Amino acid sequence: MEIAVIGREEFILGFRLAGLQKTYAAETPEKLTEVIGRTLEDPNVGILVLQSTDMEQVPRRLQIALENSVKPTVISIGGETGGLSLRERIKRSVGVDLWK
């Protein structure tokens, strides 16, 4: 399984420098929606990382799909606005609360 990162160029830069291969720049909400859709269809992606401000820019139907996605597990970085916490996402994906 691979990690995919989608967002503005300055957001994905650090992930590129860390060696992640699947980093996609998306500067507009339309491009963001398009790239997320393609990434969700990729069977090799196990984790999808988004910036929380970008998560708020996609259509509500896609937000709900991302919040409920188990594979790939979607992690929004930069706050917990309107979504599940990282703890809840891991619990949903693994089936066990790793913090206990």
Side-chain angles (χ1 to χ4, degrees):
M1 289 290 131
E2 296 182 63
I3 299 172
V5 182
I6 302 172
R8 293 186 184 90
E9 197 67 44
E10 57 272 2
F11 176 71
I12 65 172
L13 179 62
F15 293 97
R16 280 187 183 158
L17 293 172
L20 291 176
Q21 300 295 315
K22 293 190 179 237
T23 56
Y24 307 102
E27 300 294 332
T28 65
E30 295 80 20
K31 180 72 172 175
L32 186 66
T33 301
E34 174 190 331
V35 175
I36 289 172
R38 281 195 319 236
T39 305
L40 288 175
E41 294 173 2
D42 186 343
N44 296 320
V45 174
I47 297 173
L48 173 58
V49 179
L50 297 167
Q51 195 168 18
S52 60
T53 54
D54 289 341
M55 183 90 150
E56 296 168 359
Q57 292 183 9
V58 298
R60 185 67 186 143
R61 179 177 282 172
L62 182 55
Q63 284 180 20
I64 292 169
L66 292 171
E67 290 171 359
N68 294 325
S69 178
V70 174
K71 185 180 180 293
T73 299
V74 180
I75 299 172
S76 62
I77 297 177
E80 295 303 327
T81 57
L84 297 174
S85 67
L86 177 58
R87 178 180 183 174
E88 286 299 315
R89 291 184 195 285
I90 292 173
K91 183 177 175 183
R92 180 181 287 176
S93 299
V94 178
V96 176
D97 189 354
L98 298 176
W99 272 262
K100 287 187 175 182

